[in-house]
Amino acid sequence: MYSTIKKVFSENPESDLWRELLTFSYDENIKKYLLKNGVTFTDEIINIITGSFLQAFEYYKLAKESNLQIAPLLLYYGSTNLLNGMSVLLSGEKCDIKNHGMKIHPDDIVNMADTYALLCRLREQVVVSY
């Protein structure tokens, strides 16, 4: 699907992955990415992306330090924020969230390989291998 995929090997993949994802917590990096991909945006879109990535990071970080009673909830909120941030980053459009929760529609993503391909697009086809 993508012509240039670069594999990056890491001693600490979780840290390296978050370092890459958190580049989208800076307005200028988001604007550069959106402009490069021909996506129109507003200040609200930039704020949604920035907030989503930062909140996801904090939820995941707290989940590692929390007990089993609360960690799943923190992981859930981290995941919803990360998915929201990625969705808005890829589309340039605010998500229409009608309920409290998340759902992947089969018509939108056919299989996990498609999901992985979307993740790869975020960092100019750079893949971190574990």
Side-chain angles (χ1 to χ4, degrees):
M1 182 173 195
Y2 296 101
S3 59
T4 307
I5 295 179
K6 179 180 177 186
K7 288 188 178 184
V8 178
F9 297 93
S10 172
E11 293 291 328
N12 191 345
E14 181 180 357
S15 175
D16 291 345
L17 181 60
W18 276 113
R19 187 182 68 247
E20 294 293 322
L21 288 172
L22 286 174
T23 62
F24 295 109
S25 65
Y26 296 97
D27 294 2
E28 291 307 313
N29 292 339
I30 297 168
K31 290 174 185 176
K32 180 180 172 183
Y33 178 85
L34 294 173
L35 289 170
K36 179 181 176 183
N37 289 286
V39 178
T40 57
F41 58 88
T42 63
D43 286 341
E44 180 185 23
I45 293 299
I46 300 298
N47 290 334
I48 290 170
I49 295 167
T50 301
S52 294
F53 277 90
L54 288 172
Q55 286 180 18
F57 176 70
E58 292 299 326
Y59 279 126
Y60 278 111
K61 185 170 69 172
L62 287 172
K64 290 171 69 173
E65 301 169 4
S66 298
N67 66 38
L68 189 57
Q69 301 302 315
I70 195 71
L73 183 62
L74 294 169
L75 290 171
Y76 170 78
Y77 282 119
S79 298
T80 57
N81 274 280
L82 190 55
L83 288 171
N84 184 55
M86 289 177 11
S87 175
V88 176
L89 181 65
L90 292 171
S91 69
E93 297 177 12
K94 184 177 172 182
C95 293
D96 183 23
I97 301 171
K98 296 180 182 176
N99 298 309
H100 185 78
M102 65 177 153
K103 182 177 182 179
I104 297 174
H105 297 280
D107 294 340
D108 295 336
I109 297 176
V110 177
N111 57 43
M112 289 307 292
D114 290 343
T115 304
Y116 183 71
L118 289 175
L119 290 171
C120 291
R121 281 182 45 201
L122 285 177
R123 287 301 294 159
E124 302 173 339
Q125 295 78 39
V126 173
V127 179
V128 176
S129 296
Y130 302 98

